[in-house]
Amino acid sequence: MWGYVCPNSASKPSENETKKTSPAQQKGPSKKETRGIAKADRKANDYLEQKIDVKPTVNYDPQQEFINSLLMVDVGDSIWHQKKSDCPNCDKDITLDEIKKICVDKRNNCLVEDETMIRAALPYLNIYRKKVGINTCIRKAHFLAQISQESKFYSLQENFNWYWEKLIGKFSSYFNQFRTRLEKETEAKRLGRINRLPTPGLTLNQQIELANAIYGHTHPLGRLHINTGDGWLYSGKGFKQITWKENYQNLERYFNTHMKDDNEPDVDWTDGDNPYKLKNNPKDAITSALAYWGKNNINSLANENNAKAVEKVSLKINAIADGLKERQRFFKKANDILKLSE
């Protein structure tokens, strides 16, 4: 049988006990309070007292510096006031010797057949590369690997000495306008060389005719090539082999907006014969390559030291990553020469 307890039979709590409503007020004095180390504070809701260790280690992130600084504790010489340690080689100039050791074949033979243009362009490379963020060893390695594949640091005019049979697959965007295989082969034989060996090759006039055909107005990217000679005029030039009039215009605009030094005149890479500056003038040849790098934000892909990163960068440089294995080989070589592992 359940018993019944009258509420009035319980003892009435004292006035002080009714005021102890928070956990901090209900518990007794702490060890620190007993030893006189700390004063009692019965207003705080300290549900749990626990000894913790605070380590003065902070992950530096400039974007979060303001937010994180609100959480800092006094740890003496704060990390926020310490200078970030940088690789001592990142700011060093790229040298001709490094380029010649990176741009080599599988037997370590240098592929730079003529040093004239890269030797003259080197000062501009080291000045303007920093304007597009190529300011770390790994980004330098990516850039040098790509240029090694694009032009071997000397071939500043795209080569159109093509064997006819290779043309159909290489420039399908042009040959797709022909319906039958026979029509495609007939056009390819008209434009390309008949012999498989590169010599005797196509004459300069024959190469110009080929360029004007495959890079003409019928190409999806050739909408601005409205003149007969625009295919050749805006064919691959410079250390990066810049192609298409629209690219020349965009890179010219990018350089003039983002890369110029104070009081430096605007560049003109599109009017008249000015596209030829990219293969005849060392400064234009290298700054056009750097402008392409900056405009396409390639640095965002060039911060890792692995083959996948090379592939991503290569796709930005060349839409089909043509010569990817060679680009990866050049990057591996740059890795060794620039001592990225160190």
Side-chain angles (χ1 to χ4, degrees):
M1 179 175 181
W2 293 102
Y4 175 74
V5 179
C6 177
N8 292 332
S9 64
S11 61
K12 184 178 180 180
S14 67
E15 183 178 351
N16 289 336
E17 289 176 331
T18 59
K19 291 182 179 179
K20 292 182 179 181
T21 57
S22 72
Q25 293 171 327
Q26 293 175 10
K27 72 176 185 177
S30 68
K31 293 180 180 179
K32 290 182 180 180
E33 293 170 5
T34 303
R35 293 164 58 189
I37 297 176
K39 294 182 179 180
D41 183 0
R42 295 296 177 238
K43 294 181 180 180
N45 292 323
D46 49 343
Y47 293 92
L48 176 65
E49 182 179 55
Q50 181 178 351
K51 182 179 179 181
I52 61 172
D53 292 328
V54 179
K55 296 183 179 180
T57 301
V58 181
N59 291 327
Y60 180 73
D61 182 351
Q63 295 180 352
Q64 296 296 325
E65 179 172 349
F66 174 74
I67 297 173
N68 289 343
S69 64
L70 300 177
L71 306 177
M72 287 172 55
V73 294
D74 185 7
V75 292
D77 186 15
S78 172
I79 192 171
W80 303 102
H81 304 293
Q82 295 175 6
K83 184 178 179 181
K84 255 185 9 175
S85 59
D86 295 326
C87 166
N89 296 320
C90 287
D91 287 332
K92 287 185 178 179
D93 284 351
I94 296 169
T95 67
L96 181 62
D97 183 60
E98 287 172 340
I99 290 173
K100 292 173 67 175
K101 289 179 178 178
I102 292 169
C103 188
V104 295
D105 62 18
K106 294 179 180 179
R107 296 184 178 181
N108 236 29
N109 298 312
C110 181
L111 296 171
V112 185
E113 295 183 10
D114 187 344
E115 300 176 8
T116 305
M117 289 299 286
I118 185 54
R119 187 183 291 274
L122 203 53
Y124 302 109
L125 169 59
N126 285 309
I127 292 172
Y128 288 93
R129 69 176 174 84
K130 297 175 184 178
K131 293 178 180 290
V132 297
I134 303 178
N135 52 13
T136 66
C137 289
I138 192 165
R139 290 178 181 176
K140 288 193 288 186
H142 277 290
F143 180 80
L144 295 177
Q146 293 296 327
I147 301 303
S148 293
Q149 173 62 22
E150 290 289 305
S151 63
K152 307 296 186 293
F153 289 94
Y154 79 93
S155 182
L156 306 187
Q157 169 62 60
E158 184 177 356
N159 180 18
F160 289 94
N161 184 27
W162 284 93
Y163 173 55
W164 73 267
E165 198 169 1
K166 295 283 188 180
L167 281 175
I168 299 175
K170 182 70 175 179
F171 301 103
S172 58
S173 55
Y174 173 74
F175 288 94
N176 283 342
Q177 65 182 301
F178 300 97
R179 294 185 177 182
T180 67
R181 179 70 183 180
L182 179 59
E183 289 177 323
K184 292 179 181 181
E185 290 183 353
T186 300
E187 179 67 0
K189 290 177 180 178
R190 182 183 75 84
L191 294 172
R193 68 173 191 268
I194 301 301
N195 51 295
R196 287 182 176 273
L197 295 176
T199 54
L202 298 180
T203 66
L204 177 58
N205 286 336
Q206 288 174 320
Q207 291 194 41
I208 292 174
E209 182 181 11
L210 172 57
N212 285 329
I214 61 177
Y215 287 164
H217 191 64
T218 60
H219 194 287
L221 298 176
R223 62 185 183 85
L224 298 182
H225 295 187
I226 57 178
N227 300 313
T228 304
D230 282 350
W232 172 257
L233 184 62
Y234 298 104
S235 61
K237 293 178 177 63
F239 287 102
K240 159 59 186 69
Q241 300 278 292
I242 306 299
T243 311
W244 307 113
K245 183 176 183 177
E246 188 171 11
N247 274 337
Y248 280 71
Q249 290 177 335
N250 290 337
L251 298 182
E252 170 189 299
R253 191 178 302 114
Y254 182 88
F255 180 93
N256 292 333
T257 303
H258 301 286
M259 294 176 61
K260 287 198 315 177
D261 280 330
D262 293 339
N263 301 320
E264 183 178 3
D266 286 353
V267 299
D268 182 351
W269 293 334
T270 54
D271 293 339
D273 290 337
N274 286 337
Y276 293 120
K277 289 181 180 179
L278 271 65
K279 70 175 184 179
N280 296 326
N281 185 293
K283 179 182 177 181
D284 295 310
I286 195 64
T287 54
S288 59
L290 293 169
Y292 185 94
W293 191 275
K295 184 182 183 304
N296 289 279
N297 192 26
I298 298 178
N299 283 330
S300 64
L301 304 173
N303 294 317
E304 296 182 6
N305 183 0
N306 54 57
K308 188 64 178 177
V310 178
E311 182 178 359
K312 291 179 180 179
V313 170
S314 299
L315 285 169
K316 280 283 191 178
I317 297 291
N318 183 287
I320 59 174
D322 188 31
L324 176 59
K325 289 185 178 180
E326 279 294 275
R327 295 173 197 268
Q328 290 173 333
R329 186 178 66 79
F330 286 130
F331 179 78
K332 186 177 180 180
K333 196 68 181 176
N335 193 325
D336 295 338
I337 299 303
L338 299 182
K339 301 178 181 179
L340 297 190
S341 59
E342 297 179 15

